[in-house]
Amino acid sequence: MFSNLIHYPRYSLYWSKSDPVPPFISREWKGHEERHREALRQLAITDTSFQMPREVYEDPEVTGKNRYKYFERPFLPFFQQMPFNVVYAISKAEPYTFPPTSTKHLSIPSKSTVGTQTDYRDADVQTDPYSPEYVVCQDSIPELLTLATLTWGRGLPAGQAEVEMIERAREKRAWEATLPALSDTSQFEKRRKMMNEMERKEWAFREQEIEKLQEIRLEVLKELLRKREENQNKVNMKHLNARWSKLQEAKEAKMAKIQRTHVSTIRKLVGKGKNIEGKLERRNIIKDYSDYASQVYGPLSRLGCFPDNNSEDFVVKNYYLNTYEGLVELESRLPDFVTQPRIRAPKPKVITTKAGFLKRAARLDYELAEVHKALLDKKNKVLEARKPPRFLQRNPIPQPRLPTPTLEMTSNEEEEIEMAVIYLQKLLRGRVVQNMMFEGKEKRLELIQELRTCHALQEDENLVKKAEKQVTLALQRQKNLHEHKVSLVENHLAGLEGRALADMFDFLSKELVRLQEERRIHAFVMLAERQRRVREAEESGRRQVEKQRLREEDEIFKEVVKVHHSTISSYLEDIILNTEANTAEEQARAEIEKMAEKINDIAYEMESRRTYLQSEEIVAELVYSFLIPEVQKYFVKEKVRNAQRKHILAAHQIIHSYTESMVQKRLTEGQQDEASNAAMLLEKETQNENNS
């Protein structure tokens, strides 16, 4: 399929060996018309007096309906592999041979050309569509021909502007149709008013178009200025970046130079520090060779020694190690046991005897393993921390608090407030410590009781214990009362503290809101000032534009006045020229009438003297000069009219189909409106009857 060889092509063409004509049909048959024509031809050969009738061929209409028979698309070799109308000669193909039964007919040729290249373009990429010629009938001006000035790319395909132009042209033609005739002198003033009004409308429309064009030009100019500014900014940024990169490179080079100088200077100072006295030392060869960091093993490149110079000469370049093909070949030459290793599981050693006892060597190994394990456990044993006493614990001494910062007060009230706050803080801290002690006592109450019960073994101690119990209950009651009083005091103090804090927070929040509002008002003032300046700038620009527009309007008014003066002068000139032409026409007509009378007198006199032969000669000359050319001209016009009638018919069909569809649509809409109005009237009548 994809072969490019000559002796084995990718495709080949062959004639089908099956005869397309059935064998029972004679190949000598040519049809009735052909036989009749052949008989007439033989009769003309035998009989010299017989004249062969002239063959009248039908118009092929090459540029008309039969155009597809004579033209074809052009040959484009890059769109397809095989051309349309080319048959390649192939050496393997044999010419078609018909059966020997009918050998009188001619053989069918193996090759033929069936296509031709056209001068017209019908491709999808043509730019200017083909427009046929047309002929306009007399006394008819089709509306479609008013668009003949529009061409492809210049108005076609039609857009919004072209549609508006067509509508204006229709309105102007309708307006021209409503104008009074020039021959009617009574309507002359009305015609002048209508023309003046139309002229004002045209001038207003022209002014609007000029303003639109000016706006478009201004937009284009703004866009060009913006693009130029962007390009200039890009160029400036490019120059700045180039300059910055150059300065950065110079800075980096200078920094590198300073760093190298710094390193060399530090190295020199270190060398001098090692030998402060300035004594000369001989080279210790043994020390150099024993120290692997010396210059013998690792010389410094800054001293001019490059041990790795030309090291690429010693690189081994092997085909079997550097290429994939070499690795594959090397792998293919390896034996199987290298690429496919066979691992055998080792057999376990027998450490027991037949009677089931461990052997001496195994027993020794077992004992050694146990000793080694015990040594490792002893070595890795971590010393346990001493357990704290069960009942006695040392209370940690809290670290001293940092001194509380104080604020100097300027008034007695603030000082009293400060002292009250300090006293409140002391109370709170004391209460916190008391609560902590009480919580610790409650947590360790069982331990305390256990310690007490261990020593209360005697009866006296029991009695003491009972007394202590009663005392403890009394103390507990007092404690509860005291806690209640303390809670009341704390609640009162908490209320006072809360009110003080609330007042302080309220004051601070109000101050914060005031500051925020002040800053917001300041920002509003700044924005208003900025907006005022922007509006002043816009107003100044608008004032300048207004002045420019007033100057332009003055210039336009001057130009309009000049145009009016020129139109008046041209109108007067036209009137004068028309009167001169009329007087010249009247004088010429009078002179022509006089000359015609003289010519008639001369003609009548010549006619009275003319002979018959002179009359025949005059008639023949008139016929040859006027009648025959007129007939030929009429035949030529008729022929052209018949050739162009199809274009006119096509244009008329397009126009009439559009107008008929619009008329039909309007008729249907009118009928629907009448039907809807009638229905609404009936509904109103029924409603009125129901109301009545």
Side-chain angles (χ1 to χ4, degrees), residues 502-523:
D503 294 337
M504 182 175 64
F505 289 150
D506 185 26
F507 175 74
L508 292 175
S509 63
K510 288 180 180 179
E511 284 294 320
L512 180 61
V513 171
R514 186 182 64 78
L515 289 173
Q516 290 177 353
E517 291 294 332
E518 185 178 357
R519 291 181 180 178
R520 190 181 293 109
I521 292 168
H522 181 67

Side-chain angles (χ1 to χ4, degrees), residues 273-537:
K274 289 180 180 179
N275 191 6
I276 299 174
E277 298 178 357
K279 294 181 179 180
L280 296 176
E281 295 181 359
R282 290 185 180 182
R283 179 187 175 189
N284 192 351
I285 298 175
I286 297 172
K287 184 180 179 181
D288 291 343
Y289 277 90
S290 62
D291 186 9
Y292 292 100
S294 63
Q295 296 290 327
V296 177
Y297 296 101
L300 297 175
S301 59
R302 67 172 181 269
L303 300 178
C305 184
F306 301 96
D308 58 345
N309 196 9
N310 299 327
S311 60
E312 64 273 3
D313 296 340
F314 303 101
V315 177
V316 179
K317 297 179 182 178
N318 194 350
Y319 168 76
Y320 294 101
L321 298 177
N322 296 338
T323 60
Y324 177 74
E325 293 82 3
L327 289 173
V328 172
E329 186 177 355
L330 186 62
E331 186 179 356
S332 64
R333 293 181 182 180
L334 294 175
D336 293 338
F337 68 87
V338 177
T339 58
Q340 299 176 0
R342 298 178 182 87
I343 301 172
R344 294 180 181 178
K347 294 181 179 179
K349 293 182 180 181
V350 180
I351 60 174
T352 59
T353 60
K354 293 180 180 180
F357 297 101
L358 288 174
K359 292 183 179 181
R360 183 175 296 174
R363 191 183 299 113
L364 185 60
D365 292 338
Y366 182 73
E367 291 176 355
L368 290 174
E370 286 184 351
V371 172
H372 180 67
K373 185 178 180 182
L375 291 173
L376 288 177
D377 292 340
K378 188 176 181 181
K379 183 179 179 180
N380 297 329
K381 187 177 181 181
V382 180
L383 295 176
E384 295 182 358
R386 292 182 62 185
K387 293 184 179 180
R390 185 176 178 184
F391 302 106
L392 299 177
Q393 288 184 355
R394 180 179 293 177
N395 292 328
I397 300 173
Q399 295 181 359
R401 293 175 58 86
L402 295 174
T404 305
T406 58
L407 181 65
E408 295 181 359
M409 299 296 176
T410 57
S411 62
N412 295 328
E413 294 180 358
E414 293 178 355
E415 190 174 357
E416 291 177 358
I417 292 170
E418 183 183 4
M419 294 301 294
V421 170
I422 291 170
Y423 181 72
L424 182 61
Q425 289 176 356
K426 288 181 180 180
L427 289 176
L428 293 174
R429 288 172 184 168
R431 186 60 181 173
V432 168
V433 172
Q434 187 179 5
N435 289 334
M436 288 174 64
M437 292 174 65
F438 182 74
E439 288 176 359
K441 180 183 175 183
E442 290 293 330
K443 288 180 181 179
R444 304 294 185 271
L445 185 61
E446 293 179 357
L447 296 175
I448 294 169
Q449 290 177 359
E450 184 178 357
L451 290 173
R452 288 177 179 176
T453 54
C454 289
H455 299 285
L457 298 175
Q458 299 177 0
E459 293 180 358
D460 297 335
E461 292 178 355
N462 291 330
L463 295 173
V464 172
K465 187 177 179 180
K466 289 180 181 179
E468 288 178 356
K469 183 178 179 181
Q470 293 177 0
V471 171
T472 303
L473 291 174
L475 290 173
Q476 190 174 4
R477 292 191 195 95
Q478 291 179 3
K479 182 181 178 181
N480 291 333
L481 292 172
H482 180 69
E483 286 180 357
H484 180 66
K485 292 179 181 179
V486 169
S487 63
L488 292 176
V489 173
E490 286 179 354
N491 292 331
H492 184 66
L493 292 175
L496 293 175
E497 186 179 1
R499 282 194 290 273
L501 291 174
D503 294 337
M504 182 175 64
F505 289 150
D506 185 26
F507 175 74
L508 292 175
S509 63
K510 288 180 180 179
E511 284 294 320
L512 180 61
V513 171
R514 186 182 64 78
L515 289 173
Q516 290 177 353
E517 291 294 332
E518 185 178 357
R519 291 181 180 178
R520 190 181 293 109
I521 292 168
H522 181 67
F524 284 156
V525 170
M526 295 293 290
L527 289 174
E529 186 67 21
R530 181 181 177 185
Q531 190 173 5
R532 183 182 65 78
R533 292 176 182 174
V534 171
R535 287 183 178 178
E536 286 180 357

Side-chain angles (χ1 to χ4, degrees), residues 144-160:
L144 188 63
L145 298 180
T146 58
L147 308 177
T149 56
L150 301 178
T151 58
W152 187 263
R154 296 182 179 178
L156 292 177
Q160 185 179 2

Side-chain angles (χ1 to χ4, degrees), residues 11-279:
Y11 58 86
S12 58
L13 301 176
Y14 297 95
W15 284 109
S16 178
K17 294 185 179 181
S18 61
D19 191 1
V21 182
F24 60 84
I25 296 177
S26 176
R27 292 184 179 275
E28 296 180 355
W29 173 255
K30 298 181 181 180
H32 295 287
E33 294 183 359
E34 190 66 26
R35 293 184 64 185
H36 180 64
R37 196 178 293 109
E38 188 68 24
L40 291 176
R41 195 179 294 110
Q42 292 178 0
L43 182 61
I45 293 171
T46 56
D47 190 1
T48 57
S49 62
F50 179 75
Q51 291 184 357
M52 184 74 179
R54 186 176 180 182
E55 295 183 2
V56 179
Y57 296 96
E58 186 181 358
D59 187 9
E61 297 187 9
V62 177
T63 61
K65 64 181 181 179
N66 296 327
R67 184 173 182 270
Y68 69 95
K69 297 180 181 179
Y70 301 94
F71 300 98
E72 197 178 37
R73 290 176 66 87
F75 169 56
L76 302 175
F78 49 87
F79 279 161
Q80 51 206 1
Q81 295 292 337
M82 294 178 60
F84 287 108
N85 305 318
V86 178
V87 179
Y88 291 97
I90 299 174
S91 60
K92 295 181 181 180
E94 296 179 0
Y96 177 77
T97 56
F98 293 100
T101 56
S102 57
T103 58
K104 295 181 181 180
H105 62 277
L106 298 175
S107 61
I108 299 174
S110 60
K111 303 176 185 177
S112 61
T113 302
V114 295
T116 180
Q117 178 71 30
T118 175
D119 293 335
Y120 299 99
R121 292 180 62 200
D122 289 336
D124 297 334
V125 296
Q126 69 182 36
T127 55
D128 193 1
Y130 171 68
S131 300
E133 299 294 335
Y134 58 88
V135 176
V136 182
C137 297
Q138 294 181 356
D139 300 333
S140 65
I141 303 175
E143 186 182 7
L144 188 63
L145 298 180
T146 58
L147 308 177
T149 56
L150 301 178
T151 58
W152 187 263
R154 296 182 179 178
L156 292 177
Q160 185 179 2
E162 286 74 15
V163 172
E164 292 177 356
M165 182 188 71
I166 293 168
E167 292 297 330
R168 287 197 303 273
R170 287 179 178 175
E171 292 177 359
K172 190 170 183 180
R173 286 196 295 272
W175 174 78
E176 289 177 353
T178 58
L179 279 175
L182 285 170
S183 58
D184 191 359
T185 57
S186 61
Q187 299 290 332
F188 181 75
E189 188 66 25
K190 181 180 179 182
R191 180 183 177 89
R192 185 177 63 79
K193 290 181 179 179
M194 291 175 69
M195 290 181 70
N196 290 334
E197 186 177 358
M198 179 54 68
E199 187 177 1
R200 284 194 299 272
K201 289 182 179 179
E202 288 181 353
W203 275 108
F205 176 73
R206 183 58 183 165
E207 288 177 358
Q208 292 178 1
E209 286 188 344
I210 291 170
E211 289 179 357
K212 289 180 181 178
L213 289 174
Q214 288 178 352
E215 290 178 358
I216 292 169
R217 288 176 182 173
L218 285 173
E219 292 295 331
V220 171
L221 184 60
K222 289 179 181 177
E223 187 67 22
L224 291 174
L225 290 173
R226 187 181 62 78
K227 288 183 179 179
R228 187 181 70 177
E229 188 174 357
E230 289 180 357
N231 295 331
Q232 189 65 31
N233 292 333
K234 289 179 181 179
V235 171
N236 294 335
M237 288 300 295
K238 188 176 179 181
H239 290 330
L240 288 173
N241 291 333
R243 182 64 178 169
W244 183 82
S245 61
K246 288 181 180 179
L247 294 174
Q248 197 72 11
E249 289 175 358
K251 175 187 174 184
E252 290 176 358
K254 193 171 182 180
M255 291 286 289
K257 185 177 179 182
I258 293 169
Q259 190 70 20
R260 288 195 299 270
T261 307
H262 172 72
V263 171
S264 63
T265 307
I266 293 296
R267 194 182 299 117
K268 290 177 182 179
L269 290 173
V270 171
K272 289 180 179 180
K274 289 180 180 179
N275 191 6
I276 299 174
E277 298 178 357
K279 294 181 179 180

